[in-house]
Amino acid sequence: MLAAKFGGLLGAAACALGLWLARHTPGSTSGGRDAQQHEGEATGGSRKQERGVCVLSPAAVQLLVEIQPVRHVLVELLHPSAPASDGSTTAAAATANGPTRASSSLLPRHLTAAAAPVPQDAVRALWEDPASLGQAGGAPARGTVLVFAAEELAAAFAGARAATGAGYQRVAAVATGGVSPSQWSAAAHLTYIGRHGVAMLMGYTSPAVGADGAHAHMSLPHATLLDVRRHDERALYGGIPGSVHVPVEALASALSLAPDAFEAAHHFPKPSPDDLVIVYSRTGRRAAWGAQLASDAGLSRVLVYKHGSNGWRFDSSVKSYKEFSLTEGAGPQEPDIVPLEQPDGGAGERELAALGLLLPLPSSTSSEAG
C-alpha cells in the first residue's frame, strides 16, 4: 500500500513538475528569457559570458569530460586553415580528417578524442547537420550542455551564438590557445567533506567540550550548503534542510551575475569570495563539477559533500533514489529504503578540525567566558 501511495504521489508530482519545467527550463518560455535578461544585466560578469554564454575554464572542461556529471557535447572549432582532407568545409567532412585535425587541435589528446570537430567557418551549418556532433538520434536534446572550444575565445563565442540561435540555452565557451597542461588538470585540488562534518556545520551536532575545557572557546563558520541537482530531483526527493539550490547546468552563468541579480534570480544571497560553500548533488559527481565552477568564479573556500543526498542519513525528508531523467522519458522511481542514523559529533568534529574549520571565538568573548 505504501508503495502504491508513493507511486501515485510520484506520478502526480512528475506531471506537476513537467508543467513547471516547461515554464521555467532555460529557453522554454519566459523563465529562460528572464534568466537571460538577468545575465545581460550582470555588470560584474561581462568577462565571463556574452549574452548568456558562460566561459568555462580548461579544468572545468577536463572534469566535465572525465566524470560526465551532465549530458554534454564538446565541439572543437578548427581554424579555417585546417580544412578537411577532401577540401570540404562541412562539419561532417571534418570528422574524417584525423591527421590534419590532430596537428591543428589545441585540446589534450583525450579531449580531442571526446570532441566533435567542426571548421570555424562551417559552424552555422552545424545545426543543419546535427549528426556531425555524433548524435545518432539527431540534434542534441535541448537540455544538453554544449561547450565550444576554440583557440581564441571570440571564435568559441561565435559557435556558442550559433547554438543559442538554434534554441539552445545551456551553452559555454572555452579558449584553448596558450593553455598549459597544468591548467587542464587543475581540478585535482578539490576538497571533500563527509556527512558528519556537514551535519555539524548545519547545526545537527555541536563540538564537544572536554573536561579540560578543550573546544570551550571554539565556534563554527557559517556555511552555504548548495544543492546542484535538478529542480525535479529536489522537489520529489527532498533537500537537506538549510540548503539552497542552483542546478549545476545553470551554476556558471549564475555565479557570473551581479549580487543583486543573483539574489533576484535564485532567492538567496550570492556567496562572496571568502564564504564557505559546500556543494552537494545526488552522489557527488555533479557536486565535484559544481565546486570546480564555483572555484573558477572566484570562491576560495569550496568543499564537495562527498556522500551526496543519497548518503544523507539524518533526516527522513531526504530520500535516496536512482538516477532518472524526465526529459528522456525515464520517470522517477520509488525511493530506496535506507536506515536513518544519528549524526556522530565526534566524527564531525574530527572532520572539521582536519579541514581547519573549528574557529576560535574572539579574544574578548573567550576572556569573559573563562
Side-chain angles (χ1 to χ4, degrees):
M1 180 179 296
L2 180 61
K5 179 179 179 181
F6 192 86
L9 289 174
L10 274 179
C15 290
L17 277 167
L19 293 173
W20 188 93
L21 287 170
R23 294 185 59 190
H24 294 277
T25 298
S28 298
T29 54
S30 60
R33 290 194 297 270
D34 291 345
Q36 190 168 358
Q37 180 180 2
H38 280 305
E39 289 165 1
E41 295 169 353
T43 57
S46 59
R47 185 179 64 85
K48 289 293 185 182
Q49 60 182 26
E50 179 180 293
R51 300 184 66 85
V53 179
C54 64
V55 175
L56 297 183
S57 71
V61 175
Q62 155 73 22
L63 195 61
L64 174 66
V65 173
E66 179 182 337
I67 68 175
Q68 304 283 313
V70 294
R71 183 175 50 196
H72 68 276
V73 175
L74 175 60
V75 181
E76 184 179 20
L77 301 177
L78 299 177
H79 197 275
S81 63
S85 55
D86 61 356
S88 171
T89 57
T90 64
T95 307
N97 185 24
T100 304
R101 182 203 175 188
S103 63
S104 63
S105 175
L106 295 178
L107 290 172
R109 185 181 300 273
H110 61 288
L111 293 185
T112 300
V118 176
Q120 291 181 17
D121 51 2
V123 70
R124 291 196 177 277
L126 176 64
W127 307 110
E128 301 173 5
D129 184 21
S132 63
L133 292 178
Q135 303 291 310
R142 292 299 180 189
T144 303
V145 174
L146 300 179
V147 181
F148 291 85
E151 181 176 1
E152 297 179 353
L153 191 58
F157 273 136
R161 283 196 300 271
T164 57
Y168 291 88
Q169 295 296 323
R170 295 172 178 175
V171 182
V174 61
T176 58
V179 178
S180 67
S182 62
Q183 288 175 283
W184 290 107
S185 59
H189 302 298
L190 296 179
T191 304
Y192 292 81
I193 185 172
R195 58 176 170 262
H196 297 291
V198 173
M200 181 165 284
L201 287 172
M202 300 307 291
Y204 283 71
T205 57
S206 301
V209 179
D212 59 353
H215 297 158
H217 305 310
M218 305 301 286
S219 68
L220 299 175
H222 170 75
T224 297
L225 183 59
L226 178 61
D227 183 353
V228 296
R229 296 174 298 162
R230 302 188 310 269
H231 293 285
D232 55 332
E233 294 175 273
R234 184 173 171 90
L236 288 171
Y237 298 103
I240 298 174
S243 64
V244 295
H245 180 235
V246 179
V248 74
E249 296 91 340
L251 187 58
S253 291
L255 291 174
S256 70
L257 295 174
D260 56 345
F262 179 97
E263 188 164 2
H266 300 289
H267 312 296
F268 68 94
K270 181 180 180 180
S272 65
D274 294 329
D275 286 346
L276 176 62
V277 177
I278 303 171
V279 189
Y280 82 94
S281 57
R282 185 180 71 95
T283 60
R285 278 193 305 164
R286 284 172 289 178
W289 195 51
Q292 180 67 48
L293 297 176
S295 297
D296 291 342
L299 303 185
S300 60
R301 303 175 67 205
V302 183
L303 302 176
V304 178
Y305 168 40
K306 62 184 177 182
H307 296 119
S309 61
N310 273 13
W312 190 255
R313 301 285 186 264
F314 310 138
D315 195 304
S316 61
S317 67
V318 184
K319 310 294 185 183
S320 175
Y321 60 97
K322 295 178 176 60
E323 184 177 3
F324 72 98
S325 173
L326 291 177
T327 60
E328 295 180 353
Q333 301 180 30
E334 294 183 24
D336 302 325
I337 299 175
V338 295
L340 291 178
E341 302 174 5
Q342 291 296 318
D344 186 332
E349 190 174 316
R350 289 189 293 273
E351 278 191 58
L352 299 186
L355 292 168
L357 296 178
L358 285 178
L359 307 177
L361 291 170
S363 56
S364 59
T365 306
S366 300
S367 60
E368 290 173 3

